């Protein structure tokens, strides 16, 4: 995939607000502050297409972006941020699950997780939804620049073991250095190949 254009379409909280593009959609999910918005900016080669912030909980709505008039990137609100009000937290689960369950054009989800953390309930809940709704998912381990090479590999193995998946299933990523960008784009390309027999 070569990104030629990328533009914001709209924000939404519920299905009747989702844009009617008919284009295949790739969604980016993960805990608050994990680097979802930064990853999208990195992949589309734009510094500020998506607002990022060192204050977790920046993205509260489902944001849709048109890429090349060819596909749609979806920046999902982050979960698990303590300072978000209880009321807002209650809205998060249904907002995300409704999106995953109903979005016909959803082709794949990138589940982002900070490489320095261990997966917890939030990650397993997301991974569970993906398998329940039969949505192809890839786990991207972010902020890989924060660890040295050896620590990186060790942490990758620990996380892979927690998910009970081979290490090859994960992408080490850094929006700061661009590490893993090609791998993320390759997964997206793969997801966009029409299924055989369609
Ligand atoms: P919410 O919108 O709150 O859910 O957060 P988000 O997942 O969109 O995170 P965002 O992209 O806004 O990044 C959060 C903070 O982490 C920002 O200060 C980023 O600059 C920083 N950050 C994101 N990716 C990386 C990375 O790969 N390496 C480093 N060192 N910092 C990163
Ligand atoms: Mg964000």
């Amino acid at each position: 995939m070569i990104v030629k254009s990328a533009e914001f379409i709209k924000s939404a909280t519920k299905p009747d607000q989702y844009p009617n593009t008919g284009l295949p959609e790739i969604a980016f999910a993960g805990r608050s502050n994990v680097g979802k918005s930064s990853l999208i900016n990195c992949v589309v080669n734009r510094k500020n297409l998506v607002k990022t912030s060192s204050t977790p909980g920046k993205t509260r709505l489902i944001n849709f972006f048109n890429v090349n008039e060819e596909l749609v990137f979806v920046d999902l609100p982050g979960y698990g941020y303590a300072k978000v009000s209880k009321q807002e937290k209650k809205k998060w689960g249904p907002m995300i699950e409704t999106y995953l369950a109903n979005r016909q054009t959803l082709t794949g989800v990138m589940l982002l997780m900070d490489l320095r953390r261990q997966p917890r309930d939030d990650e397993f809940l997301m991974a569970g939804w993906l398998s329940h709704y039969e949505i192809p998912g890839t786990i991207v381990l972010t902020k890989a620049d924060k660890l040295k090479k050896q620590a990186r590999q060790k942490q990758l193995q620990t996380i892979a073991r927690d998910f009970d998946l081979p290490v090859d299933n994960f992408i080490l990523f850094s929006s700061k250095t661009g590490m893993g960008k090609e791998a993320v784009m390759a997964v997206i390309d793969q997801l966009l190949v029409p299924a055989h027999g369609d």
Side-chain angles (χ1 to χ4, degrees):
M1 182 182 58
I2 299 167
V3 176
K4 285 166 263 165
S5 65
E7 58 183 276
F8 175 68
I9 307 172
K10 69 182 297 199
S11 299
T13 58
K14 48 186 202 284
D16 63 358
Q17 300 166 337
Y18 301 164
N20 214 337
T21 63
L23 297 171
E25 223 157 80
I26 310 284
F28 299 86
R31 184 175 279 270
S32 253
N33 207 44
V34 73
K36 299 175 293 298
S37 302
S38 301
L39 180 146
I40 294 177
N41 285 334
C42 176
V43 169
V44 303
N45 303 310
R46 291 267 291 275
K47 275 218 168 90
N48 292 308
L49 176 67
V50 192
K51 285 193 196 89
T52 63
S53 168
S54 52
T55 315
K58 179 80 193 165
T59 313
R60 306 274 176 99
L61 305 167
I62 303 176
N63 290 312
F64 296 83
F65 300 87
N66 186 315
V67 179
N68 293 346
E69 310 284 334
E70 208 178 314
L71 72 154
V72 173
F73 278 178
V74 180
D75 191 15
L76 294 171
Y79 46 82
Y81 179 54
K83 279 192 186 153
V84 170
S85 73
K86 264 207 184 118
Q87 220 187 348
E88 211 146 351
K89 270 192 195 165
K90 261 198 218 152
K91 281 191 264 174
W92 178 87
M95 181 167 31
I96 304 282
E97 194 179 6
T98 299
Y99 171 78
L100 297 175
N102 295 290
R103 191 60 164 162
Q104 295 293 332
T105 48
L106 180 59
T107 305
V109 172
M110 301 279 173
L111 175 53
L112 277 63
M113 199 190 115
D114 190 320
L115 175 63
R116 298 164 299 172
R117 296 184 59 260
Q118 290 310 121
R120 300 232 183 114
D121 290 357
D122 293 326
E123 279 81 25
F124 293 125
L125 177 68
M126 267 301 307
W129 280 340
L130 296 184
S131 92
H132 178 76
Y133 294 112
E134 298 182 347
I135 303 161
T138 301
I139 301 173
V140 179
L141 303 173
T142 62
K143 307 196 185 185
D145 58 280
K146 298 250 192 187
L147 291 181
K148 294 214 178 82
K149 200 170 174 193
Q150 229 178 0
R152 217 182 272 154
Q153 290 306 324
K154 200 170 162 214
Q155 184 60 10
L156 168 62
Q157 281 166 10
T158 312
I159 293 172
R161 201 186 51 216
D162 284 359
F163 276 107
D164 200 20
L165 288 170
V167 288
D168 297 351
N169 284 46
F170 299 82
I171 297 174
L172 290 172
F173 183 84
S174 164
S175 56
K176 212 169 166 183
T177 66
M179 180 202 293
K181 182 177 166 180
E182 293 301 321
V184 168
M185 294 180 64
V187 168
I188 294 169
D189 282 336
Q190 201 57 49
L191 287 167
L192 295 176
V193 174
H196 293 288
D198 273 7

